[in-house]
Amino acid sequence: MSPRFGRSLGLLGALLIFSSGTRADDPASPAMGTVRLASGQLAHYAYHHDRNALADAVVVDDSIVAIGGSGALLRFDRDSLAWKKEHIERSASTCLGRGADGSVLAGFDDGRIAHVDPAALQIREVAKVPGKVQWVGAWADRPGAKPRIVAVVERVGQVEDRGRTYPVRSSVVHDLGSGRTFAIESKEDPPQPRRASAFLLDQKHRLWLGADNGEWGGWCICVDLGAGQVREIPGLRIYDFSPDPAWLGVMGFTELRDGQVWAHGGTTHMGDTEGFLWRVDRGRAEELYRLDNYPDNLEAFARKQRERQARGEKVDDDEQRPEPDPLPTDRPYLPITHVVEAPGADGLIVVAFSGVYRTDIKLSRWSKVHELEIRYRWGRPDAMGAYPSVRAVLPIPGPGKVPGLIFATAIDGLIRLVDGKQTDHALPGQIGIEEVSRLANSSEGLLVLGGSSDGEAWRLRGGEWGSVSFTPKFESADPNEKDFETEGWHSSTVLVGRDGSIVTVSASPVMPGTRAVARWKNGKAEVVGREVSMRAGESCFLTPDGGIWSADSTSGNGPQKPTIVSLQRLVDGRWIDAFSSEWTSDVGSRRPGIGWDLRAMHDDGPPWILLDPRNEVLLRLSYGVNFQDPRLSVVTTEEAGKRLKIRDAIPSEKGRMLLATDRGLRSFSIDGGRIEAGGIEAGRDITRLARDGIGRFWLGGEGLILVEGGKLQPMDELPMLGRSKIAAMAADPDHREGVVAAIEGRGVVFVRVEGR
């Protein structure tokens, strides 16, 4: 039996709703099943998602109920931490909460709120709100009263800037028992919407909300559900350059047994770190603890220099700074991500990224318990740093000097810590990629590629997923690079040709620095070009005739400095200039001229039609025999005087292509450049296209659709799909009647439908 597909489940004519299609003794196995479509055909699926990518977790009796990064509900045994069961919905679960009676609540990204049976993982819908549920809980306004659900919902608006529309996300509190809603906004005029990322409902029915906005700090707001009031909690003066109160990023809240409510968090940005604990329940921020990674003696030195400058004295920038004092090792100076009261004992457990500390309630005695060995995904939009990988800390009473702790992590699954000893319980064989940018059938098998240029791809072999590196051995072409501590490759961009050939373009961290181009065969790299330059791997692309190209553009300010588009080709290990031209318009692009990640979209060239996915345009690359006289130009794709935005393209018949545009599907003539109706009305947004081995079209965007015999067969009934966004598609290399689809943020599904 194929490792991707199991036998069909159920009887003919039955619509199968997935509950748990995997064996608990084989956590590497995908969720498999069969659904009968409206046409009577059977759709077989094998769904691969990362059960180690945990977003939240709670302890209920002998179980741990968790949310996977894919939005699946997971159950683990509390004692062994063995994975036992999962439940997958067409809509992703987004948060876990507790009812007033201790029951488990789950929120979903389609606005549903449900009770969860922790043993069977069966759900019972109890409410629905308008938008993605960020947090859910329950409260009662008096003893004996019926508990009512309260939820925080993400609202998505839009703002236009320089001709482009961007989403604006904010939070709204819904008290379902009273029907009241509370918009979370700033005090500015006009008020600005705010999106919360930290939540706590305390014993006094106050809902605390905070935000971690990276280097931009944060905020704290209290919604008193009983009084129906919203109150912003002012911060403290934390910056020398401003007397105004401010907040560092708020990463969470904790309520102590005596009713105190503390906010905690901090900031990481470009190597600077800071953590804090502030009390907030008395209507103002009160500092309990704050520490950064800037040694006190260096701060004192800098302060004296500023004072001398203020007196008008000359300060020598080259004045010898003192050697930095060592930072404390018994307390955190990274952002504090979690605070929990130690079970069965006085004191607190404080987690700051990977550091686990213990302290008393007065924060006067600190000790470091352990440094977790966990991984991070670097990069966030609001700071040069990483989000915390610990997503939940679960105290488990038991023997030992330090109470047992279970950590739910974003990459490494569940981890147990007892008496300072870490035990890892990550499940084997999972697909460990968060966001998929491309699926590519290559000479090394089907590759799942992410958005970062780290030279890594994921590949399914023997029924288990594993990462494979396409990074050649580093050999410097620049003698000056030896002066840098970070000698080696900083990035490696993987290019896959339409014939499956693999080429990588690697770059050192130095600019300009070593750049190397390598062809890969049988897992080995042959370097075919090495230079010292500023070239970015994302600027390179392949054509089906074996050409390796690099395209870039530079732009000045104003009409007197037009955009210059340049094209180079790798010839005998050297990049040679092939084309350069002024472009008088930038086609409404995010990058002037042309973007990166260009791809040839057909095999019968030249000329080649290239997709510029960042600018959503088509380009035409033409040249004569032996690559003579290359020309690169923008393809005009206008309809009723307005440019079509091209999301994807695929050959449909000789000389023609099917286009996925912002206004539906269109047919495109490669030679004539004509745009015509595509002949298919999907009735929903389509952004990805693929053809299976028997020539049928598959449409991806809002869900997945098969086109056969001129009829559309939506795959909405597949348990992980519905109308989830499809991020990438490719033909299934092992089944001619199927495709592989990457669901945005939810893993990869193999789908096959037998032909009529």
Side-chain angles (χ1 to χ4, degrees), residues 449-611:
L449 298 163
S452 61
S453 297
D454 56 6
E456 182 181 73
W458 286 82
R459 182 174 59 187
L460 185 63
R461 286 283 175 91
E464 295 193 4
W465 289 94
S467 63
V468 55
S469 175
F470 291 99
T471 302
K473 179 182 178 181
F474 178 77
E475 294 183 19
S476 177
D478 183 1
N480 297 323
E481 286 179 331
K482 295 181 179 179
D483 297 332
F484 291 83
E485 296 179 0
T486 55
E487 186 181 41
W489 295 127
H490 172 69
S491 65
S492 193
T493 302
V494 180
L495 309 175
V496 181
R498 292 185 58 82
D499 62 350
S501 58
I502 299 174
V503 173
T504 56
V505 183
S506 304
S508 78
V510 183
M511 298 180 66
T514 301
R515 306 293 187 264
V517 179
R519 292 188 182 273
W520 290 78
K521 188 174 182 180
N522 298 325
K524 296 183 178 180
E526 176 193 1
V527 176
V528 295
R530 186 179 284 110
E531 62 171 347
V532 176
S533 75
M534 299 276 287
R535 192 179 313 279
E538 297 90 340
S539 72
C540 299
F541 66 95
L542 310 177
T543 48
D545 53 9
I548 302 176
W549 304 80
S550 175
D552 207 350
S553 51
T554 57
S555 177
N557 295 321
Q560 302 304 317
K561 296 183 179 179
T563 297
I564 305 297
V565 173
S566 60
L567 186 66
Q568 293 184 311
R569 185 169 65 90
L570 190 69
V571 180
D572 296 330
R574 295 177 57 251
W575 289 99
I576 63 170
D577 293 331
F579 171 80
S580 180
S581 177
E582 293 184 359
W583 284 11
T584 56
S585 66
D586 66 359
V587 299
S589 63
R590 296 175 186 173
R591 284 174 48 82
I594 57 174
W596 286 344
D597 302 323
L598 304 182
R599 296 199 306 272
M601 306 308 293
H602 61 110
D603 299 310
D604 51 346
W608 305 110
I609 299 299
L610 312 176
L611 176 65

